[in-house]
Amino acid sequence: VILGLGGFTRAFFSQYYFRSPGTSGAKAMRSCIAVTAALVVIVVTSAVLGTCLPFALAALGLDVAHAGPSIQVVMDIGGVIITC
């Protein structure tokens, strides 16, 4: 929740107050909501996968130490996909 509020506040100030002349405030607000939603989805997905991946690797008989680098790569790619 705190990260979502911080992300919204930062997006609001950068999108709303520093928008180009002629750009509507409603469009800036939609951009802020989109950035906040993407941030929340990325964080929740990261937490769920970061919790489940070590258990899945252990169940498959693999070394759970591979979960850290694997989740970083998956979330980097997923973050770009979710944001775009």
Side-chain angles (χ1 to χ4, degrees), residues 38-59:
L39 177 68
V40 169
V41 168
I42 291 168
V43 169
V44 169
T45 304
S46 176
V48 170
L49 289 178
T51 302
C52 294
L53 191 58
F55 292 117
L57 291 176

mmCIF file of all heavy atoms in Angstrom, residues 38-59:
data_model
loop_
_atom_site.group_PDB
_atom_site.id
_atom_site.type_symbol
_atom_site.label_atom_id
_atom_site.label_comp_id
_atom_site.label_asym_id
_atom_site.label_seq_id
_atom_site.Cartn_x
_atom_site.Cartn_y
_atom_site.Cartn_z
ATOM 1 N N ALA A 38 0.350 -0.641 -12.648
ATOM 2 C CA ALA A 38 1.480 -1.459 -13.096
ATOM 3 C C ALA A 38 2.441 -1.738 -11.939
ATOM 4 O O ALA A 38 2.928 -2.865 -11.787
ATOM 5 C CB ALA A 38 2.216 -0.770 -14.233
ATOM 6 N N LEU A 39 2.693 -0.733 -11.113
ATOM 7 C CA LEU A 39 3.583 -0.906 -9.964
ATOM 8 C C LEU A 39 3.029 -1.941 -8.995
ATOM 9 O O LEU A 39 3.756 -2.835 -8.547
ATOM 10 C CB LEU A 39 3.776 0.435 -9.254
ATOM 11 C CG LEU A 39 4.607 0.436 -7.994
ATOM 12 C CD1 LEU A 39 6.067 0.143 -8.329
ATOM 13 C CD2 LEU A 39 4.496 1.769 -7.290
ATOM 14 N N VAL A 40 1.753 -1.869 -8.706
ATOM 15 C CA VAL A 40 1.137 -2.814 -7.773
ATOM 16 C C VAL A 40 1.163 -4.240 -8.338
ATOM 17 O O VAL A 40 1.490 -5.193 -7.630
ATOM 18 C CB VAL A 40 -0.305 -2.372 -7.431
ATOM 19 C CG1 VAL A 40 -1.058 -3.453 -6.679
ATOM 20 C CG2 VAL A 40 -0.278 -1.093 -6.622
ATOM 21 N N VAL A 41 0.853 -4.389 -9.614
ATOM 22 C CA VAL A 41 0.864 -5.718 -10.240
ATOM 23 C C VAL A 41 2.271 -6.311 -10.218
ATOM 24 O O VAL A 41 2.458 -7.498 -9.903
ATOM 25 C CB VAL A 41 0.312 -5.651 -11.678
ATOM 26 C CG1 VAL A 41 0.572 -6.939 -12.436
ATOM 27 C CG2 VAL A 41 -1.169 -5.356 -11.654
ATOM 28 N N ILE A 42 3.276 -5.497 -10.519
ATOM 29 C CA ILE A 42 4.656 -5.986 -10.520
ATOM 30 C C ILE A 42 5.086 -6.423 -9.128
ATOM 31 O O ILE A 42 5.695 -7.487 -8.961
ATOM 32 C CB ILE A 42 5.604 -4.911 -11.086
ATOM 33 C CG1 ILE A 42 5.358 -4.727 -12.584
ATOM 34 C CG2 ILE A 42 7.068 -5.266 -10.827
ATOM 35 C CD1 ILE A 42 6.035 -3.497 -13.163
ATOM 36 N N VAL A 43 4.757 -5.644 -8.117
ATOM 37 C CA VAL A 43 5.179 -5.978 -6.748
ATOM 38 C C VAL A 43 4.462 -7.233 -6.248
ATOM 39 O O VAL A 43 5.088 -8.119 -5.655
ATOM 40 C CB VAL A 43 4.935 -4.776 -5.802
ATOM 41 C CG1 VAL A 43 5.101 -5.176 -4.356
ATOM 42 C CG2 VAL A 43 5.879 -3.650 -6.149
ATOM 43 N N VAL A 44 3.161 -7.338 -6.494
ATOM 44 C CA VAL A 44 2.420 -8.510 -6.035
ATOM 45 C C VAL A 44 2.899 -9.768 -6.766
ATOM 46 O O VAL A 44 3.114 -10.820 -6.142
ATOM 47 C CB VAL A 44 0.900 -8.295 -6.220
ATOM 48 C CG1 VAL A 44 0.123 -9.584 -6.008
ATOM 49 C CG2 VAL A 44 0.411 -7.221 -5.272
ATOM 50 N N THR A 45 3.104 -9.666 -8.067
ATOM 51 C CA THR A 45 3.597 -10.809 -8.836
ATOM 52 C C THR A 45 4.975 -11.238 -8.352
ATOM 53 O O THR A 45 5.253 -12.432 -8.204
ATOM 54 C CB THR A 45 3.645 -10.460 -10.333
ATOM 55 O OG1 THR A 45 2.357 -10.036 -10.748
ATOM 56 C CG2 THR A 45 4.086 -11.647 -11.164
ATOM 57 N N SER A 46 5.822 -10.276 -8.077
ATOM 58 C CA SER A 46 7.164 -10.578 -7.592
ATOM 59 C C SER A 46 7.118 -11.288 -6.237
ATOM 60 O O SER A 46 7.856 -12.250 -6.011
ATOM 61 C CB SER A 46 7.971 -9.285 -7.490
ATOM 62 O OG SER A 46 9.229 -9.529 -6.947
ATOM 63 N N ALA A 47 6.250 -10.822 -5.361
ATOM 64 C CA ALA A 47 6.148 -11.450 -4.040
ATOM 65 C C ALA A 47 5.623 -12.884 -4.137
ATOM 66 O O ALA A 47 6.141 -13.789 -3.477
ATOM 67 C CB ALA A 47 5.238 -10.616 -3.146
ATOM 68 N N VAL A 48 4.621 -13.091 -4.967
ATOM 69 C CA VAL A 48 4.049 -14.435 -5.108
ATOM 70 C C VAL A 48 5.049 -15.390 -5.746
ATOM 71 O O VAL A 48 5.274 -16.504 -5.256
ATOM 72 C CB VAL A 48 2.731 -14.382 -5.918
ATOM 73 C CG1 VAL A 48 2.258 -15.767 -6.292
ATOM 74 C CG2 VAL A 48 1.667 -13.646 -5.136
ATOM 75 N N LEU A 49 5.663 -14.967 -6.858
ATOM 76 C CA LEU A 49 6.644 -15.839 -7.511
ATOM 77 C C LEU A 49 7.882 -16.055 -6.649
ATOM 78 O O LEU A 49 8.445 -17.148 -6.633
ATOM 79 C CB LEU A 49 7.046 -15.255 -8.862
ATOM 80 C CG LEU A 49 5.989 -15.309 -9.949
ATOM 81 C CD1 LEU A 49 6.507 -14.648 -11.220
ATOM 82 C CD2 LEU A 49 5.569 -16.732 -10.231
ATOM 83 N N GLY A 50 8.304 -15.015 -5.939
ATOM 84 C CA GLY A 50 9.462 -15.145 -5.059
ATOM 85 C C GLY A 50 9.230 -16.100 -3.908
ATOM 86 O O GLY A 50 10.159 -16.712 -3.389
ATOM 87 N N THR A 51 7.978 -16.247 -3.503
ATOM 88 C CA THR A 51 7.639 -17.194 -2.444
ATOM 89 C C THR A 51 7.475 -18.616 -2.987
ATOM 90 O O THR A 51 7.918 -19.582 -2.368
ATOM 91 C CB THR A 51 6.334 -16.750 -1.749
ATOM 92 O OG1 THR A 51 6.512 -15.431 -1.239
ATOM 93 C CG2 THR A 51 5.968 -17.686 -0.625
ATOM 94 N N CYS A 52 6.857 -18.730 -4.149
ATOM 95 C CA CYS A 52 6.534 -20.058 -4.693
ATOM 96 C C CYS A 52 7.703 -20.735 -5.398
ATOM 97 O O CYS A 52 7.788 -21.969 -5.390
ATOM 98 C CB CYS A 52 5.368 -19.942 -5.660
ATOM 99 S SG CYS A 52 3.835 -19.446 -4.866
ATOM 100 N N LEU A 53 8.568 -19.967 -6.030
ATOM 101 C CA LEU A 53 9.631 -20.563 -6.837
ATOM 102 C C LEU A 53 10.590 -21.446 -6.036
ATOM 103 O O LEU A 53 10.911 -22.546 -6.489
ATOM 104 C CB LEU A 53 10.395 -19.486 -7.600
ATOM 105 C CG LEU A 53 11.352 -19.983 -8.670
ATOM 106 C CD1 LEU A 53 10.627 -20.828 -9.702
ATOM 107 C CD2 LEU A 53 12.041 -18.808 -9.341
ATOM 108 N N PRO A 54 11.046 -21.049 -4.842
ATOM 109 C CA PRO A 54 11.922 -21.966 -4.087
ATOM 110 C C PRO A 54 11.231 -23.289 -3.731
ATOM 111 O O PRO A 54 11.852 -24.344 -3.779
ATOM 112 C CB PRO A 54 12.273 -21.186 -2.818
ATOM 113 C CG PRO A 54 12.111 -19.765 -3.197
ATOM 114 C CD PRO A 54 10.994 -19.733 -4.187
ATOM 115 N N PHE A 55 9.945 -23.222 -3.403
ATOM 116 C CA PHE A 55 9.214 -24.449 -3.095
ATOM 117 C C PHE A 55 9.075 -25.332 -4.330
ATOM 118 O O PHE A 55 9.180 -26.557 -4.243
ATOM 119 C CB PHE A 55 7.829 -24.128 -2.520
ATOM 120 C CG PHE A 55 7.879 -23.495 -1.153
ATOM 121 C CD1 PHE A 55 7.400 -22.228 -0.952
ATOM 122 C CD2 PHE A 55 8.421 -24.189 -0.083
ATOM 123 C CE1 PHE A 55 7.445 -21.640 0.310
ATOM 124 C CE2 PHE A 55 8.478 -23.617 1.181
ATOM 125 C CZ PHE A 55 7.984 -22.336 1.381
ATOM 126 N N ALA A 56 8.825 -24.711 -5.473
ATOM 127 C CA ALA A 56 8.700 -25.486 -6.712
ATOM 128 C C ALA A 56 10.031 -26.144 -7.082
ATOM 129 O O ALA A 56 10.060 -27.305 -7.496
ATOM 130 C CB ALA A 56 8.223 -24.584 -7.845
ATOM 131 N N LEU A 57 11.122 -25.415 -6.917
ATOM 132 C CA LEU A 57 12.437 -25.991 -7.219
ATOM 133 C C LEU A 57 12.770 -27.137 -6.259
ATOM 134 O O LEU A 57 13.334 -28.148 -6.665
ATOM 135 C CB LEU A 57 13.517 -24.919 -7.172
ATOM 136 C CG LEU A 57 13.475 -23.877 -8.294
ATOM 137 C CD1 LEU A 57 14.543 -22.814 -8.069
ATOM 138 C CD2 LEU A 57 13.641 -24.512 -9.650
ATOM 139 N N ALA A 58 12.422 -26.962 -4.987
ATOM 140 C CA ALA A 58 12.673 -28.027 -4.006
ATOM 141 C C ALA A 58 11.833 -29.269 -4.332
ATOM 142 O O ALA A 58 12.311 -30.394 -4.201
ATOM 143 C CB ALA A 58 12.362 -27.531 -2.602
ATOM 144 N N ALA A 59 10.606 -29.062 -4.767
ATOM 145 C CA ALA A 59 9.746 -30.193 -5.113
ATOM 146 C C ALA A 59 10.279 -30.944 -6.333
ATOM 147 O O ALA A 59 10.092 -32.153 -6.447
ATOM 148 C CB ALA A 59 8.325 -29.711 -5.385
#
